[in-house]
């Protein structure tokens, strides 16, 4: 995985589906449905609608945490946090045709995930973010540079997506660290014109909007 990944979020202004629609209209073609502390039946209901939206835009939908829902929806893949199902078990359920991502906060996390053959890693947080509980120590630019150098030394070539409190101003510096992509939520939804903000972010990342 590379480029921009939008992570759905419900705010005072937008529902989960509205947030996804915004990202899609702005040109983002990778969406993660993240609904924490919500019953799985509700997630599946929203998931079907999110999948239909993503299909209309030829975008890929990833499901946060819920492997079985990912399989039911025939989504592109699943993202697993540290306390979720193991990637090995998820692969047994999903088979080879799905993408499995994992969460890392340290180089040691990356080493562990590399051994269980995830397809990409969400690495963070870049800075403090209110959308995440039990936040790990922030990495900043230097943290990403250090971890990417360690990956090179250990011959680990997993795509790394920077995540956590990233703003549009941070993007050039983060891309320079060598990450494969960036995951965003709040910086898009808090903008005055979130659709325009999404397209501006893609331009900053040199991603063509189709």
């Amino acid at each position: 995985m590379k480029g921009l990944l939008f992570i759905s979020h419900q705010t005072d202004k937008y529902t989960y589906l509205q947030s996804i629609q915004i990202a899609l209209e702005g040109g983002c073609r990778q969406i993660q449905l993240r609904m924490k502390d919500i019953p799985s039946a509700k997630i599946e209901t929203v998931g079907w609608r999110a999948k239909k939206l993503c299909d209309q835009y030829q975008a890929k939908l990833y499901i946060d945490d819920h492997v079985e829902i990912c399989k039911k929806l025939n989504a592109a893949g699943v993202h697993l946090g540290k306390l979720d199902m193991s990637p090995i078990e998820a692969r047994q359920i999903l088979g080879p045709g799905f993408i499995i991502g994992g969460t890392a906060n340290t180089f040691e996390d990356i080493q562990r995930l590399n051994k269980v053959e995830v397809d990409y890693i969400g690495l963070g947080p870049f800075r403090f973010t209110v959308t995440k509980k039990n936040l790990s120590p922030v990495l900043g630019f230097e943290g990403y540079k250090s971890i990417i150098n360690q990956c090179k030394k250990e011959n680990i070539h997993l795509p790394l997506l920077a995540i956590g409190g990233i703003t549009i101003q941070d993007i050039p510096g983060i891309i320079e660290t060598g990450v494969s992509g960036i995951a965003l939520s709040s910086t898009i939804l808090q903008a005055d014109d979130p659709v325009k903000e999404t397209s501006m972010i893609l331009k900053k990342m040199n991603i063509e909007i189709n």
Side-chain angles (χ1 to χ4, degrees):
M1 184 191 284
K2 60 182 181 179
L4 177 64
L5 174 68
F6 175 75
I7 299 178
S8 71
H9 186 52
Q10 185 161 273
T11 71
D12 293 338
K13 291 176 72 175
Y14 308 113
T15 66
Y16 291 107
L17 286 169
Q18 285 170 336
S19 78
I20 290 170
Q21 178 84 47
I22 283 165
L24 292 168
E25 286 181 11
C28 182
R29 295 296 177 260
Q30 296 180 122
I31 306 291
Q32 184 192 117
L33 179 62
R34 183 178 190 267
M35 298 172 66
K36 288 292 184 186
D37 306 318
I38 303 289
S40 58
K42 171 74 171 172
I43 296 170
E44 185 178 336
T45 299
V46 175
W48 283 111
R49 294 174 69 187
K51 179 68 164 59
K52 188 175 179 181
L53 266 177
C54 287
D55 287 348
Q56 287 172 10
Y57 286 85
Q58 296 181 305
K60 291 182 177 178
L61 177 67
Y62 300 86
I63 307 297
D64 185 54
D65 297 354
H66 295 269
V67 175
E68 297 288 357
I69 293 175
C70 171
K71 189 172 185 178
K72 275 187 186 178
L73 270 55
N74 195 30
V78 68
H79 184 88
L80 301 170
K82 288 184 174 182
L83 302 178
D84 297 326
M85 182 187 291
S86 78
I88 292 171
E89 190 179 346
R91 182 62 72 198
Q92 288 171 344
I93 292 168
L94 293 173
F98 293 80
I99 295 166
I100 296 176
T103 294
N105 309 116
T106 64
F107 177 63
E108 288 71 29
D109 289 339
I110 292 173
Q111 288 177 307
R112 175 178 55 81
L113 288 167
N114 187 53
K115 286 176 183 173
V116 294
E117 298 183 355
V118 297
D119 298 297
Y120 76 90
I121 288 173
L123 176 63
F126 172 69
R127 69 158 60 86
F128 178 78
T129 171
V130 295
T131 61
K132 195 87 170 178
K133 294 179 183 176
N134 304 317
L135 201 66
S136 299
V138 297
L139 292 171
F141 296 113
E142 294 306 315
Y144 283 105
K145 287 177 187 174
S146 173
I147 287 173
I148 285 167
N149 283 335
Q150 287 175 288
C151 287
K152 287 177 181 174
K153 287 177 185 175
E154 295 282 331
N155 211 25
I156 295 172
H157 301 292
L158 281 170
L160 304 179
L161 267 62
I163 187 169
I166 296 166
T167 68
I168 193 167
Q169 290 82 12
D170 300 319
I171 289 172
I174 290 176
I175 295 296
E176 283 180 10
T177 67
V179 297
S180 301
I182 292 173
L184 293 176
S185 182
S186 297
T187 194
I188 288 173
L189 298 180
Q190 290 172 1
D192 292 334
D193 186 339
V195 172
K196 186 178 178 182
E197 185 82 358
T198 305
S199 62
M200 285 171 59
I201 288 164
L202 290 167
K203 285 174 185 173
K204 270 193 177 286
M205 296 178 71
N206 293 319
I207 297 171
E208 288 186 18
I209 301 170
N210 51 31

